[in-house]
Amino acid sequence: MAITSVPKNSGYILTDDPATPLTSATVAFRDIIPPPDHPKIAGISQHDALSWCQSRREIPAPAWLINRLDAKNLEKPYKGFTSDGTVDSSVYNHAADEGAPVEDMVDAAEKLLAILSPEQLRAVCKATVDDDEFRVWSNPELYMNPGGIRMDESSRDVQQAVHALLKASTSAEGFDKIIGCTLTNGFLGELVNGRAVLNEHSYNFRLFGTPHLTEPWGYTFFGHHLAFNVVVQGRRIVMAPSFMGAEPDRIDVGPHAGLRLFSNEEVGGLNLMRALPPKLQEKAQLSKGMDGDHLPEDRWNPFDERHLGGARQDNRIVPYEGCPVSEFDAEQKAAVMRILRAFNVVLPPGPLAARLSLLEANLAHTYFAWIGGFDLGDPYYFRIHSPVTFCEFDFHCGIFLSNTSPAKCHVHTVNRMPNAGDYGKALLKQWRSSK
C-alpha cells in the first residue's frame, strides 16, 4: 500500500495520544512510552528488521517513506546540494596534508577485511567511491535497502573490527558520540521490547574502493538515527553528509545511565537565538509554528519534519534564509563557531581544524535560520547555512514514543557540505585535477 501525496502524520496516531503542547516540550520520555498494543510498536517483539520494514509497508504513511527512500529513487545523476541550483565546487581547496589518520584507517580496514568470509567480502566491497551505492543511506529503522554487512547479523569479531575502523577515522570525542547513538538506539529497543529491530548494532557497513595510503577510498555506516559517509584520500578526509539523532535523547538506567546526546547543539542554538537583539531574532525566525499547518508542503513531512538535508536530498535546492551572520557581533559569531564545532566533532583533530578554518572564512556568507519559539520550554529547529555547510537541528514528534508534537527528547541533526562537498566529490575533483 502506498500513497503519492505527502502524508499528514506518521500513520500511527491514536485519538488519545498525548499532543505534547509547545509549552510542555520538555515532557519526560517515560511519560510517552506507548503501551505494547499501540500501533507504533504492536508486535515489534515478534519482528526482525526486515519483517518489521515489511509490516510498515502495509500502513500508508510509512509506506510513502519507504518508497521515497528506496534505492530506485536515488537522485541520478548526482549534482550536489545547493542554494540556487548552481554548483560551485571551487569553494573547497583542501590542503595537501590535513592530518587525516589514513595509516590507522588503512590498518583497521585491512584487519576487518582479513576476517570476513568470501560471501561477506562480496557483499561489502564496492569497486570505487564513485559508485552510486555510496549514496544509498537512510536514518529510519526501516531496513528497505539490504546490503553490505548488517552489524546485528555479524559476529562479535566483525562488529569490533568495524568499530575499530570508526575509531581510527574519528576523534575520541566523535567516536564516543557515535557509540552513544548506537547505545541509545539499543536503549530504545529495550523501552519498546523490540531489540531485534532496534539495538546497538542496527547498522549497515559498506566499503568503497581499496584501502590505500594515497588513492581514494571510503565507507558508509548507517542505520537508525546514525549515518556516516566517509571518503579519505591521502591525509585528507570528508565525513558528509552525516546524520545523528536519538529517541529518547538520554539513557536513565543501567550501565550507561546519564548518557545524553546533542546538549552542545541544543543549548548552543537556543542561547544564541535568545542572545540576539529583537530585530535579528525577527530576521532569523522563519515561522513560529512548526508543523504542516504553518510550513509549506515541500518544507515539512511527518518523518523529516523540518529538516531538509536528509537522505535522498543530494540534489536539493535550499535558498539562504534567516539572518545573515555578518550582522552578528563578535560573541554571537563565536557562538556560531562553537555550534559548528559540535556538528563536526567527529572529525579527527587535523581535519577538524581545517574544516573550522574554512567555516570561519565563510562566516560573511553564512545564515542562521530558526523555526518555532525560543522560550526555555519551546521546541525548535535551527539551521546554519553557507556555501560550505548546511547544519540542521530539529526536535521531533514521536516515532516510537507517542507524542504528536515535537518534544525535546527526540532529536535529529544533519550535517552536509553543499556545492558538491558531500561524499568527497569536491575533494576527488581537486585530487584528480592535480594528477
Side-chain angles (χ1 to χ4, degrees), residues 208-226:
F208 295 82
T210 302
H212 196 280
L213 293 177
T214 59
E215 297 290 316
W217 61 283
Y219 64 86
T220 61
F221 182 87
F222 66 92
H224 190 217
H225 277 149
L226 181 63

Side-chain angles (χ1 to χ4, degrees), residues 68-71 73-87 92 129-139 220 227-229 240-243 304 307-318 385 390 392 414-425:
R68 185 168 72 86
L69 295 176
D70 193 288
N73 291 323
L74 188 70
E75 309 96 308
K76 295 181 182 179
Y78 173 83
K79 183 175 181 179
F81 194 93
T82 65
S83 62
D84 60 5
T86 301
V87 174
Y92 300 102
V129 290
D130 294 308
D131 193 318
D132 275 333
E133 192 172 348
F134 205 112
R135 300 189 289 119
V136 181
W137 63 274
S138 57
N139 56 274
T220 61
F228 277 95
N229 300 280
S242 66
F243 183 106
D304 289 333
H307 74 69
L308 306 177
R312 305 301 176 277
Q313 305 297 336
D314 289 344
N315 293 343
R316 186 161 191 162
I317 299 171
V318 178
H385 186 187
F390 189 86
E392 298 181 285
V414 174
N415 190 0
R416 277 190 177 268
M417 294 172 61
N419 288 304
D422 286 338
Y423 309 104
K425 297 292 188 182

Side-chain angles (χ1 to χ4, degrees), residues 1-3 7 10 12 49-74 136-138 140-146 301 303 312:
M1 183 186 300
I3 52 180
S10 66
Y12 309 122
L50 282 170
S51 66
W52 180 253
C53 182
Q54 185 58 37
S55 76
R56 302 302 91 181
R57 294 180 189 271
E58 305 305 316
I59 305 171
W64 171 87
L65 177 64
I66 291 168
N67 180 66
R68 185 168 72 86
L69 295 176
D70 193 288
K72 70 178 184 291
N73 291 323
L74 188 70
V136 181
W137 63 274
S138 57
E141 82 293 343
L142 302 166
Y143 190 20
M144 78 291 291
N145 295 308
N301 71 63
F303 299 101
R312 305 301 176 277

Side-chain angles (χ1 to χ4, degrees), residues 22 270 273 281 284-291 294-295 306 369-375 378-382 394-395 406:
L22 296 185
L270 182 59
M273 182 62 174
Q281 290 174 338
Q285 190 178 42
L286 306 182
S287 169
K288 294 181 180 179
M290 294 186 71
D291 59 21
H294 296 88
L295 299 169
R306 286 145 297 278
W370 190 272
I371 295 173
F374 44 92
D375 287 336
D378 288 339
Y380 49 85
Y381 160 98
F382 70 82
D394 198 18
F395 288 119

Side-chain angles (χ1 to χ4, degrees), residues 200-392:
E200 59 270 28
H201 297 297
S202 300
Y203 306 95
N204 284 63
F205 174 85
R206 295 168 181 157
L207 184 75
F208 295 82
T210 302
H212 196 280
L213 293 177
T214 59
E215 297 290 316
W217 61 283
Y219 64 86
T220 61
F221 182 87
F222 66 92
H224 190 217
H225 277 149
L226 181 63
F228 277 95
N229 300 280
V230 179
V231 172
V232 60
Q233 183 280 307
R235 295 182 63 79
R236 305 182 286 194
I237 191 170
V238 169
M239 294 182 175
S242 66
F243 183 106
M244 301 182 84
E247 183 191 17
D249 70 330
R250 67 192 70 200
I251 297 175
D252 65 349
V253 296
H256 305 293
L259 176 64
R260 184 184 179 195
L261 302 168
F262 312 114
S263 57
N264 287 335
E265 297 92 328
E266 174 183 342
V267 176
L270 182 59
N271 284 347
L272 172 59
M273 182 62 174
R274 289 171 62 84
L276 295 177
K279 67 176 183 179
L280 297 188
Q281 290 174 338
E282 185 176 351
K283 281 188 178 183
Q285 190 178 42
L286 306 182
S287 169
K288 294 181 180 179
M290 294 186 71
D291 59 21
D293 293 333
H294 296 88
L295 299 169
E297 182 175 293
D298 67 342
R299 291 302 184 95
W300 182 92
N301 71 63
F303 299 101
D304 289 333
E305 300 200 21
R306 286 145 297 278
H307 74 69
L308 306 177
R312 305 301 176 277
Q313 305 297 336
D314 289 344
N315 293 343
R316 186 161 191 162
I317 299 171
V318 178
Y320 296 119
E321 298 172 307
C323 185
V325 171
S326 60
E327 298 184 28
F328 290 7
D329 65 25
E331 175 50 37
Q332 292 156 1
K333 290 176 180 176
V336 170
M337 290 303 302
R338 288 193 294 270
I339 296 168
L340 289 171
R341 184 191 184 282
F343 270 92
N344 289 278
V345 73
V346 294
L347 286 165
L352 176 60
R355 177 83 178 130
L356 292 177
S357 178
L358 178 65
L359 296 173
E360 188 168 25
N362 279 271
L363 278 182
H365 311 291
T366 300
Y367 289 76
F368 178 71
W370 190 272
I371 295 173
F374 44 92
D375 287 336
L376 293 179
D378 288 339
Y380 49 85
Y381 160 98
F382 70 82
R383 175 196 319 152
I384 299 174
H385 186 187
S386 82
V388 292
T389 194
F390 189 86
C391 294
E392 298 181 285

